Amino acid sequence: KGSSTVGGTDKTLLYKMIITNPGSTARVVSLRFNLPKNYNFVRMIQGEAPSAGSVTNGPGDMVWTSHNAPAGESFISFIVETP
């Protein structure tokens, strides 16, 4: 289960993905974020970088194939540049 929020200024957006693990132990999960056409991944703010092969210039998917989601909530946040 997860959700995301968006913020930013001018030509950049800050995306924050909230990953919820209701279990009592950590789980390895795959995450996917669809990067819109002409949007470009800039950098991570929190969390590990997207997996090798991820799209960094939209359109396409940014993926994290082995995100370690601890019990409760964890966060990934990153900046993208808008067209």
Side-chain angles (χ1 to χ4, degrees):
K1 177 180 173 188
S3 62
S4 64
T5 58
V6 181
T9 59
D10 201 17
K11 296 202 60 113
T12 62
L13 294 174
L14 169 66
Y15 282 94
K16 180 178 182 181
M17 295 173 64
I18 304 165
I19 301 95
T20 303
N21 175 2
S24 59
T25 59
R27 291 180 45 194
V28 176
V29 298
S30 294
L31 306 172
R32 181 176 308 277
F33 175 81
N34 185 264
L35 192 61
K37 182 178 181 178
N38 297 322
Y39 282 53
N40 300 307
F41 171 75
V42 176
R43 65 185 166 93
M44 294 299 299
I45 299 298
Q46 181 177 356
E48 68 271 10
S51 300
S54 286
V55 168
T56 56
N57 301 319
D61 289 335
M62 293 172 52
V63 294
W64 292 261
T65 57
S66 298
H67 175 74
N68 187 25
E73 287 187 344
S74 59
F75 305 92
I76 288 180
S77 57
F78 53 92
I79 292 177
V80 299
E81 183 179 51
T82 64

